[in-house]
Amino acid sequence: MSTGKIVVCGGGGFIGGHLVADLLRQGAEDIRSVDIKPFSEWYQTSPKVENVQLDLQDKAACERALAGAHTVYNLAADMGGMGFIENNRALCMLSVLINTHLCMAARQQGVARFFYASSACVYAADKQTSPDVTALRESDAYPAQPEDGYGWEKLFSERMCRHFREDFGLLTRVARFHNVYGPLGTYAGGREKAPAAICRKVIEAKLSGKHEIEIWGDGHQTRSFMYIDDCLKGTQAILASDILEPLNLGSSELVSINQLVDLVEDIAGIKLKRSYNLKAPKGVNGRNSDNTLIRKHLGWEPEVRLREGLEKTYAWIYGEMTRK
């Protein structure tokens, strides 16, 4: 736990909000949470921290955000699920300004530790062409062929962190997040990811009595999904570590989208008629996390199985959708 000021950039978002809450539970007393959204749109807020609304694409805003900072978590980005990132490539690319200006401000402020949240979208597309994908190792990011837009921005920002560490001595650590999900996240509106989207669709079908569901793609595409609690533990472990290169942070529990729907249907106690929208964004055919390095270096392994995490996520979304 940092003994100085901790700044969580993107603190009004899903992962950032959970991270702030977790740091408070651990006894952190000097936290600044920064996000571009109006406070009314933050996923979580706490009166025990300094909550600041700033556009971190702006260099001066980054300097203000990091004033007096000891530890920085950069979770800020304009992003969402596949439906968002495939249709907003320029917006995703502009997030490069956030990490660039934060690195500059961190160097200026003498920040002790700087965490950057990267993504599995950095991985080369030709490694993800089959649903029966071999789990992705950290070295599979090069030769570079990342997800267009969002993935390129993440890969570039990883290099920015590396070179600030090498050239200026800024202690940077990078994690490649693999599909983080859980309660208090986006489940509607276009930015939601697959677990929340499937939960919402199943709940809509259950509440309406129209037992049908549309699935994006053919349902055979495969992914792994990491519960938010495991993400928080892994993030803090990576920041505190001596590991210089980016590390995978994800589950290796591979499922197809059809299997994901099976699980949520079972939790809901219904079976739905499925239709497949082959024109909808679906991303790569297969992606899974190889956790060999993080297990070797940090002894980290996800503790929450997909079924357990989905039950908690489904219950929260159901409560939100049925709340009077």
Side-chain angles (χ1 to χ4, degrees):
M1 178 62 63
S2 168
T3 56
K5 183 182 294 294
I6 302 172
V7 180
V8 179
C9 301
F14 166 54
I15 300 176
H18 276 286
L19 177 59
V20 169
D22 189 58
L23 292 169
L24 285 171
R25 282 193 294 269
Q26 294 179 61
E29 297 180 348
D30 191 1
I31 302 173
R32 179 181 295 142
S33 183
V34 185
D35 205 283
I36 190 174
K37 295 185 289 292
F39 295 130
S40 61
E41 297 178 13
W42 286 31
Y43 289 58
Q44 298 184 59
T45 56
S46 171
K48 296 181 180 179
V49 308
E50 179 189 359
N51 297 302
V52 182
Q53 184 187 357
L54 290 171
D55 181 356
L56 295 176
Q57 293 185 76
D58 180 70
K59 182 173 179 288
C62 289
E63 292 169 354
R64 179 182 167 193
L66 268 52
H70 175 277
T71 301
V72 176
Y73 291 91
N74 178 16
L75 306 171
D78 199 349
M79 57 84 67
M82 194 54 59
F84 179 82
I85 65 176
E86 285 199 3
N87 293 302
N88 295 276
R89 293 188 174 101
L91 287 178
C92 290
M93 287 293 288
L94 284 170
S95 292
V96 74
L97 295 172
I98 298 173
N99 195 62
T100 301
H101 290 146
L102 282 174
C103 282
M104 295 170 70
R107 180 194 177 200
Q108 180 187 69
Q109 289 292 325
V111 165
R113 285 186 176 259
F114 184 99
F115 175 87
Y116 177 63
S118 187
S119 165
C121 288
V122 303
Y123 285 112
D126 64 5
K127 301 281 188 180
Q128 304 171 79
T129 56
S130 169
D132 300 317
V133 66
T134 299
L136 294 161
R137 297 167 298 177
E138 284 80 358
S139 58
D140 289 332
Y142 295 93
Q145 192 188 4
E147 184 82 39
D148 204 7
Y150 180 69
W152 276 109
E153 185 276 320
K154 288 296 186 183
L155 195 62
F156 177 87
S157 292
E158 285 188 6
R159 302 297 285 194
M160 183 69 73
C161 288
R162 172 179 172 174
H163 297 314
F164 263 72
R165 172 173 53 80
E166 293 172 336
D167 293 358
F168 304 131
L170 177 63
L171 198 157
T172 58
R173 297 291 182 264
V174 176
R176 292 174 179 160
F177 289 175
H178 287 247
N179 292 314
V180 187
Y181 75 100
L184 300 174
T186 299
Y187 61 88
R191 291 180 183 257
E192 66 276 16
K193 295 188 176 182
I198 297 300
C199 285
R200 186 201 76 240
K201 290 180 178 182
V202 170
I203 292 167
E204 287 173 341
K206 183 171 184 174
L207 294 176
S208 69
K210 187 177 181 181
H211 288 187
E212 299 176 1
I213 186 171
E214 181 187 84
I215 297 171
W216 287 8
D218 60 12
H220 296 300
Q221 63 269 35
T222 53
R223 296 289 188 277
S224 64
F225 301 98
M226 174 174 54
Y227 191 65
I228 182 64
D229 291 1
D230 289 320
C231 176
L232 299 178
K233 292 176 184 177
T235 292
Q236 293 168 73
I238 288 172
L239 180 60
S241 77
D242 295 324
I243 311 303
L244 301 182
E245 299 304 318
L247 283 176
N248 280 333
L249 190 61
S251 170
S252 57
E253 185 181 354
L254 188 69
V255 294
S256 69
I257 298 301
N258 276 329
Q259 289 172 324
L260 182 65
V261 176
D262 289 342
L263 282 169
V264 179
E265 285 180 337
D266 191 53
I267 292 167
I270 59 173
K271 292 295 292 183
L272 305 177
K273 179 182 179 182
R274 302 179 186 186
S275 62
Y276 295 90
N277 185 348
L278 302 182
K279 295 182 179 180
K282 73 177 187 70
V284 296
N285 287 323
R287 177 182 293 153
N288 195 15
S289 178
D290 185 322
N291 290 341
T292 302
L293 283 182
I294 192 169
R295 189 166 52 242
K296 173 185 175 183
H297 291 300
L298 302 178
W300 180 91
E301 193 74 45
E303 297 177 1
V304 181
R305 299 287 295 178
L306 181 58
R307 169 69 187 234
E308 179 187 353
L310 283 174
E311 287 175 347
K312 295 177 180 179
T313 305
Y314 179 93
W316 178 79
I317 295 175
Y318 187 89
E320 290 296 296
M321 293 177 65
T322 56
R323 188 170 56 186
K324 298 293 185 179

